[in-house]
Amino acid sequence: DWLLIDGEHAPNDVRSVLAQLQAVASAQQAFGDLRSHPVVRVPLGTGEAGTALIKQFLDTGAQTILVPMVDTAEQAAQVAAACRYPPEGVRGMGSALARASRWQAHPRYVQEANAQICCLVQAETVTAMQNLDAIATTPGVDGVFIGPADLSASMGHPGNPMHPDVQAMIAQAIARILKAGKAPGILSTSEAQARQWLAAGARFVAVGADTIVLVNGATQLLKTFRADTSAQGPSSY
């Protein structure tokens, strides 16, 4: 249903994100109902640098933006403002140069864009959990994505998002986001976890990552054709 184009942890910039948005658009045209909605995660969320980068991604044609490490309602408000044209926000009026408006082929783009843009923020620290109600009710924020790995580290359990305290915090967070009338999201790389959070009310769930899918597939292929996989050869990063 949706694909995350990651500018936070993956080596993506505006140009490579543009190429991926074009690829998704061509697939939508070619395969009709087999459509996937691209979500672009930006590396910076707040402050002048974050605002400028969000503007670039939106002008490139991203319709949904996901911003990491939002800890306060003030930061959430900055992100929401960056996603929308005045008077509701501070997005620069550069649609004549933008793929988003199809270079003015969409004559009412600036009048309609604010209602069409989806602004998602990530809550992934103890501080964010303390401020979650205010973050979720921030005008212009459409959904809140929980980052289990960073949250577990912030709670003192690095590398262990399955810790009972972390799991309980996530369940509470999903309920609080739903209560605020916004869409909760989360990443889960196991089917059991994904179904657990869907049952809890999560509205957008990342159920895999391309690198993990590739590694798992390659590992299984190796096991199929090599009896002894205990002796590992040289490796490099």
Side-chain angles (χ1 to χ4, degrees), residues 97-146:
L97 307 175
R99 176 177 177 267
S101 72
R102 293 305 183 266
W103 305 278
Q104 299 285 59
H106 187 339
R108 290 191 52 78
Y109 178 79
V110 296
Q111 287 81 22
E112 298 174 0
N114 284 2
Q116 297 295 327
I117 296 299
C118 179
C119 174
L120 307 172
V121 299
Q122 289 188 217
E124 42 194 339
T125 66
V126 170
T127 301
M129 293 298 106
Q130 293 169 344
N131 297 317
L132 185 59
D133 296 334
I135 291 171
T137 55
T138 299
V141 170
D142 299 299
V144 182
F145 188 86
I146 307 300

Side-chain angles (χ1 to χ4, degrees), residues 45-46 67-73 75-77 79 121-125 128 135:
T46 59
V67 177
M69 290 295 177
V70 172
D71 284 335
T72 67
Q75 291 175 333
V79 172
V121 299
Q122 289 188 217
E124 42 194 339
T125 66
I135 291 171

Side-chain angles (χ1 to χ4, degrees), residues 9-79:
H9 294 296
N12 279 313
D13 58 13
V14 175
R15 288 180 177 84
S16 62
V17 167
L18 168 60
Q20 291 171 81
L21 289 172
Q22 290 170 325
V24 174
S26 68
Q28 290 172 338
Q29 294 171 358
F31 297 104
D33 291 338
L34 297 176
R35 291 175 290 183
S36 182
H37 182 78
V39 177
V40 176
R41 178 156 64 179
V42 303
L44 296 170
T46 59
E48 292 183 7
T51 296
L53 196 56
I54 289 172
K55 174 174 62 177
Q56 283 189 290
F57 280 123
L58 291 174
D59 284 352
T60 299
Q63 187 177 359
T64 301
I65 295 290
L66 177 62
V67 177
M69 290 295 177
V70 172
D71 284 335
T72 67
E74 291 75 19
Q75 291 175 333
Q78 290 178 27
V79 172

Side-chain angles (χ1 to χ4, degrees), residues 136-180:
T137 55
T138 299
V141 170
D142 299 299
V144 182
F145 188 86
I146 307 300
D150 284 292
L151 180 59
S152 64
S154 180
M155 292 178 66
H157 307 291
N160 187 17
M162 296 300 295
H163 190 282
D165 292 346
V166 179
Q167 293 284 294
M169 182 72 78
I170 293 172
Q172 293 169 11
I174 290 174
R176 292 165 68 186
I177 297 165
L178 286 171
K179 185 177 180 180

